[in-house]
Amino acid sequence: MMKQDYEQFELIIVDDCSQDQTPLIIKELTEKYPGRIIWIRHETNTGVAQARNTAIQHSQYDILMMADSDDIQHSTRMRIMYEKLLSTSADIIFNDCEMIDDQGYSLGRYKGYPSDLNTDTVLAKLLERNYFWMSLAMLRKTSSIYFDKNIPTSEDYELFLRMALEQKRFVICQDVLTYYRIHGNNLSSNGNLSLQVTRDIFKNLDVQHVYKQLSDRYDSSTTMRVMASVYAWREEPEQVVRILQHQPYHMESFFTLAMAYAQTGNYNDSLATFEHIRKQQQMPNAAVLNNIGVISHQLGYPSDQAMQWIQQALQVREDYMDALNNLRILQGEANGTLQLTVRPLRTEIVHTVASDSQHK
């Protein structure tokens, strides 16, 4: 961070009661850059949300740029983001990133964003899934910028949803300005916890307010498609079926409908809908193949047949955890219940790039 080519900033470091050498490292930095770093230490571990709130509360500037301690920032990140935030009148802006391993070597992947994700579509998009990472954000500081300290993860998603519902302006900078470290200790790696927290976030939304916001901004088909997604997050499958059974709108809505059928115990219609998706898609989706295998097994089809579908899913995505765990269960190598994947895997979110880069 101290190598940024834009120098008019304060660096706020919140030490959330670390038990390692972090305080010594921070002390060395504050001595090396006197007057540039604000160091705040929590006496007890409060979690990511409160740590970020502490930093926001102590900031003296009206523009905030987020950065996680284990990531690496390009030296031009702050300048490029700041200039684009001002020139576009954005309330929040996101850059792209390249993935690196715990040693700092490139993994040959970057995050990427859907081509149709912009400030006009962001509410509908975010109500279907989260496309953003807070560590890639720069935003304007206002009284509504805070993180819910009562949720253990996905606190950034809750903020993004609030901002979208408040009609804040979202802008994407396609430049790769962050090197995002992937390792086993990533807080966001706990998928089951994140899924449950996301459901709780949606259950706390005012559905009528959400519907009005959608109907004011989008056509009726988009509004109803997105409302079906909202009800899916809220674990109200009967509402999903009511909305989608006669007009699923597009392939992701078919997936939502198929899951709703399964959640209401209608496995035959669920299997038929997943089969419809599989036949219509030009490229196979691993989640669809996994779910066909799981539902086939629930309907009493031979285990070998279910296993074949799940093996096909792994041919599409060899690192697909639901399918890996399901295969181990079917092969008798593990105990447990076969898991359906509740959302289609996001082939458009993490791209593969040719990269010869080493340390960043």
Side-chain angles (χ1 to χ4, degrees):
M1 284 302 303
M2 304 311 295
K3 295 181 180 179
Q4 294 293 304
D5 63 5
Y6 183 88
E7 298 182 352
Q8 296 179 7
F9 69 92
E10 60 182 2
L11 176 61
I12 302 175
I13 301 176
V14 179
D15 178 1
D16 197 26
C17 194
S18 63
Q19 301 298 312
D20 53 16
Q21 299 300 308
T22 296
L24 294 176
I25 296 171
I26 299 174
K27 185 175 184 296
E28 291 177 0
L29 287 172
T30 58
E31 293 172 350
K32 184 177 181 180
Y33 301 100
R36 299 286 306 279
I37 298 175
I38 300 172
W39 175 21
I40 304 160
R41 177 172 170 81
H42 287 168
E43 294 306 316
T44 59
N45 183 268
T46 61
V48 174
Q50 185 54 48
R52 285 174 170 164
N53 286 339
T54 296
I56 293 170
Q57 291 159 8
H58 284 80
S59 64
Q60 302 177 56
Y61 290 81
D62 58 358
I63 303 293
L64 307 170
M65 188 178 84
M66 301 297 180
D68 284 348
S69 60
D70 50 358
D71 298 338
I72 300 172
Q73 311 303 322
H74 194 281
S75 61
T76 63
R77 183 191 176 202
M78 188 175 297
R79 174 177 55 80
I80 290 174
M81 294 282 279
Y82 181 60
E83 290 173 353
K84 193 171 184 80
L85 182 135
L86 295 182
S87 67
T88 60
S89 300
D91 293 297
I92 185 167
I93 183 170
F94 300 88
N95 60 274
D96 203 350
C97 69
E98 185 172 354
M99 315 297 177
I100 59 175
D101 65 15
D102 56 0
Q103 299 299 312
Y105 291 96
S106 173
L107 294 173
R109 292 182 291 152
Y110 66 98
K111 183 183 184 303
Y113 299 93
S115 59
D116 59 347
L117 178 59
N118 55 56
T119 198
D120 294 325
T121 63
V122 70
L123 177 60
K125 291 283 191 182
L126 277 177
L127 286 168
E128 292 180 320
R129 63 170 81 241
N130 185 18
Y131 289 92
F132 300 119
W133 296 347
M134 181 52 69
S135 59
L136 305 180
M138 177 181 282
L139 65 163
R140 297 179 189 271
K141 180 182 176 181
T142 69
S143 59
S144 64
I145 301 301
Y146 63 88
F147 297 92
D148 187 341
K149 63 182 181 181
N150 296 313
I151 56 179
T153 186
S154 301
E155 71 288 336
D156 51 355
Y157 192 14
E158 190 274 338
L159 173 60
F160 301 150
L161 284 170
R162 270 193 284 119
M163 293 183 71
L165 286 165
E166 292 170 0
Q167 302 186 45
K168 300 300 184 182
R169 181 170 177 77
F170 285 64
V171 170
I172 294 171
C173 172
Q174 300 290 351
D175 295 348
V176 175
L177 302 174
T178 301
Y179 302 99
Y180 182 87
R181 200 177 303 273
I182 301 292
H183 52 69
N185 294 325
N186 285 82
L187 289 178
S188 56
S189 64
N190 190 334
N192 289 333
L193 176 61
S194 179
L195 177 62
Q196 186 54 56
V197 170
T198 299
R199 287 167 172 166
D200 292 341
I201 290 170
F202 274 80
K203 289 173 184 178
N204 288 326
L205 291 178
D206 182 337
V207 175
Q208 293 304 314
H209 177 64
V210 171
Y211 176 77
K212 185 178 187 309
Q213 288 279 322
L214 289 169
S215 58
D216 285 347
R217 301 189 208 183
Y218 307 109
D219 59 40
S220 60
S221 63
T222 301
T223 296
M224 297 312 296
R225 184 195 82 224
V226 176
M227 284 303 300
S229 181
V230 170
Y231 283 120
W233 281 120
R234 290 168 63 90
E235 297 183 286
E236 299 180 35
E238 295 84 2
Q239 293 280 22
V240 176
V241 172
R242 177 183 63 81
I243 293 172
L244 293 181
Q245 63 181 339
H246 300 302
Q247 43 186 352
Y249 302 109
H250 66 17
M251 280 300 142
E252 186 154 342
S253 292
F254 272 107
F255 195 105
T256 303
L257 177 61
M259 280 302 305
Y261 280 138
Q263 289 161 351
T264 58
N266 186 349
Y267 294 116
N268 286 306
D269 282 346
S270 180
L271 181 60
T273 305
F274 277 123
E275 283 281 14
H276 172 77
I277 299 171
R278 182 184 66 82
K279 293 174 182 177
Q280 293 296 317
Q281 288 186 318
Q282 293 182 345
M283 297 293 293
N285 186 288
V288 172
L289 296 170
N290 173 79
N291 289 0
I292 290 174
V294 171
I295 294 172
S296 296
H297 189 265
Q298 290 171 328
L299 285 171
Y301 288 82
S303 294
D304 287 349
Q305 185 172 332
M307 200 178 304
Q308 288 175 6
W309 287 112
I310 292 170
Q311 287 171 333
Q312 287 184 44
L314 289 170
Q315 290 174 4
V316 176
R317 284 281 295 271
E318 62 181 12
D319 60 346
Y320 177 19
M321 290 307 300
D322 283 351
L324 285 168
N325 292 334
N326 288 337
L327 186 60
R328 292 182 65 226
I329 291 170
L330 287 171
Q331 291 174 335
E333 298 175 0
N335 297 319
T337 303
L338 299 183
Q339 294 295 314
L340 291 166
T341 300
V342 299
R343 299 274 166 177
L345 300 187
R346 297 179 288 180
T347 55
E348 76 276 32
I349 301 304
V350 178
H351 300 268
T352 300
V353 295
S355 177
D356 296 324
S357 51
Q358 300 294 318
H359 268 297
K360 296 297 183 182

